[in-house]
Amino acid sequence: MRTLLLAVLLAVTPTAMAMACSKPSDAAALEREMVAWVNQEREARGLARLAPSPQLAAAAQQHACDMATRDFFSHKRAGGPSMADRAKAHGYRFGKMVENLASAQEESVRTAAGLWRNSPPHWANILMPDLRDIGISVTRGGGKVYWVMKAGRAR
């Protein structure tokens, strides 16, 4: 019993609470703006627009909050769920899946989009022709802003 009480007390220390994630007050507008930017870039190259997916957005939010809370920046944390596992857990049955991450000090679509545009693998994900759906999350935590884009094609 004493060990359990100690574990609970350690879990709610001020440091742990400070590392919590939160959505910016204008997160929904920022996320819509990012989807619009992705679709503008795709359409300019003759590619189909991506449809917003609540399942992919929820999976993106889960990962953004995980990174913000645990202070890491990667597609997978040690022992954590994979990109595919996160999508499946939110009900997205995919045939193809990609994920872009960005971290910055500001909640700027322009900054995150610039990071993805200037990274060949991230840019290739945005322009992958056979994708159909997209989910975006922008989340704050630990003094950083985390952007996650998940895009896929459902089965």
Side-chain angles (χ1 to χ4, degrees):
M1 181 68 160
R2 190 178 307 215
T3 304
L4 178 61
L5 179 58
L6 179 60
V8 170
L9 288 174
L10 289 174
V12 294
T13 63
T15 302
M17 291 189 308
M19 290 299 293
C21 69
S22 64
K23 300 286 281 179
S25 60
D26 58 347
L30 291 166
E31 292 161 356
R32 283 191 305 273
E33 185 181 343
M34 182 63 84
V35 170
W37 174 79
V38 168
N39 280 330
Q40 178 183 342
E41 295 296 333
R42 289 178 60 84
E43 285 182 322
R45 289 154 185 83
L47 299 170
R49 293 176 61 83
L50 301 180
S53 163
Q55 294 91 356
L56 290 179
Q61 173 59 27
Q62 175 192 354
H63 192 54
C65 193
D66 193 28
M67 288 189 296
T69 302
R70 298 173 191 270
D71 194 26
F72 75 98
F73 185 71
S74 177
H75 292 282
K76 184 178 181 199
R77 69 175 161 83
S82 70
M83 168 180 70
D85 291 337
R86 289 188 299 274
K88 286 181 205 172
H90 289 280
Y92 190 79
R93 295 179 46 97
F94 63 90
K96 183 163 217 133
M97 173 76 49
V98 298
E99 181 177 72
N100 283 359
L101 308 177
S103 179
Q105 298 298 315
E106 59 190 48
E107 300 155 6
S108 162
V109 169
R110 182 178 177 162
T111 298
L115 291 169
W116 290 341
R117 181 181 262 271
N118 292 315
S119 165
H122 293 96
W123 188 238
N125 285 346
I126 289 169
L127 300 181
M128 195 170 291
D130 51 351
L131 299 176
R132 296 291 173 256
D133 307 305
I134 189 169
I136 298 283
S137 178
V138 58
T139 303
R140 274 194 243 129
K144 298 176 192 166
V145 177
Y146 296 89
W147 288 87
V148 177
M149 178 196 91
K150 296 185 76 61
R153 183 188 70 235
R155 288 187 198 180

